[in-house]
Amino acid sequence: MRAFFENVDLRAASAISDVSRRMFDLRERRKRLLADTGCSDSDEVLAAVREGRLPEHPGYDAWLAVCLLGDREHALHATLQWRCLIANGGKRLPPPRSGLAALAYTIRPALPSLFTGGMRLHPDGISFSGESGIQVLVRVLTPQAWSFEWHWAGEPWRLDTAPVAHPGVDSVAHVHRPDGAVVASPITLPLMGETPTVVLAFLEALARSPTLGLG
């Protein structure tokens, strides 16, 4: 290891050290999340939510976060390898991106004007701040597995695809209203499409109505 760093300039060595530290932090955060749920892995968390052994929320959000943190850790591992390659004179290829980072990069040019200046990437989600005061947190794995949480006028709302049945709700996507009621999603999202399309369709609907027409 000492021989490796003898040929690496200070800036590159610092960057490699930073990536290693972030990988460790993500791994420990993921362990804490799993410990909080009492589950050993993400599959067990989702099964517990589906079977009612964990509450839908925050259980489903914990499952999404565990998966997203794992994806981010894998991306950082690839970044570490990339930085080591560059430090040793390798070809300067574009740095790797996690799924969330790639999603943020893809949707940024097409964001509704309400959210263009307020997007922020997190290890387990993407947040958006609207000029109207609306605050949004998006956790998404696939076009069929996601949770969109937002606060408007001091009240919490959530639209998600958690595999939990609710009386009178026959759609996969459902809304948790501030009063505790759960209703079918009033908007149609392209669940069989691409992930960026789903996220943009939701943000566009939210820009039109911060309560999705349910307020």
Side-chain angles (χ1 to χ4, degrees):
M1 182 63 72
R2 179 176 297 176
F4 170 80
F5 280 106
E6 284 177 354
N7 299 317
V8 176
D9 66 63
L10 182 61
R11 179 180 296 182
S14 177
I16 290 171
S17 175
D18 178 66
V19 173
S20 297
R21 178 188 55 78
R22 285 190 286 155
M23 284 177 60
F24 175 81
D25 290 344
L26 285 176
R27 191 177 306 118
E28 292 302 304
R29 182 173 172 180
R30 190 170 183 269
K31 286 180 182 178
R32 289 194 297 271
L33 263 177
L34 287 170
D36 289 344
T37 65
C39 299
S40 60
D41 57 34
S42 59
D43 289 342
E44 189 177 343
V45 176
L46 185 59
V49 171
R50 185 180 287 116
E51 296 164 8
R53 291 183 283 113
L54 280 176
E56 178 182 4
H57 299 288
Y60 189 61
D61 308 280
W63 172 69
L64 289 168
V66 165
C67 293
L68 290 167
L69 289 172
D71 175 68
R72 179 58 179 159
E73 185 184 343
H74 288 311
L76 283 176
H77 184 265
T79 299
L80 182 62
Q81 293 178 316
W82 172 79
R83 287 199 174 278
C84 289
L85 179 67
I86 298 300
N88 279 282
K91 187 177 181 181
R92 291 188 172 274
L93 299 172
R97 285 195 180 102
S98 68
L100 279 179
L103 173 62
Y105 178 82
T106 300
I107 67 176
R108 184 184 293 276
L111 286 175
S113 59
L114 177 65
F115 299 112
T116 51
M119 184 175 75
R120 184 180 177 189
L121 180 64
H122 305 270
D124 64 343
I126 305 174
S127 63
F128 302 87
S129 299
E131 296 175 355
S132 62
I134 193 169
Q135 301 290 323
V136 185
L137 177 62
V138 167
R139 288 191 175 104
V140 56
L141 283 176
T142 70
Q144 299 83 34
W146 41 260
S147 177
F148 302 150
E149 179 183 356
W150 70 101
H151 285 76
W152 166 249
E155 295 186 316
W157 294 77
R158 187 190 307 274
L159 173 64
D160 66 76
T161 56
V164 176
H166 295 279
V169 178
D170 57 4
S171 61
V172 174
H174 50 273
V175 176
H176 294 259
R177 296 170 50 106
D179 60 6
V182 180
V183 299
S185 174
I187 61 175
T188 300
L189 298 177
L191 301 187
M192 301 309 294
E194 300 292 328
T195 299
T197 306
V198 174
V199 175
L200 287 172
F202 163 70
L203 293 175
E204 289 163 0
L206 206 59
R208 292 192 296 270
S209 171
T211 62
L212 301 182
L214 296 172

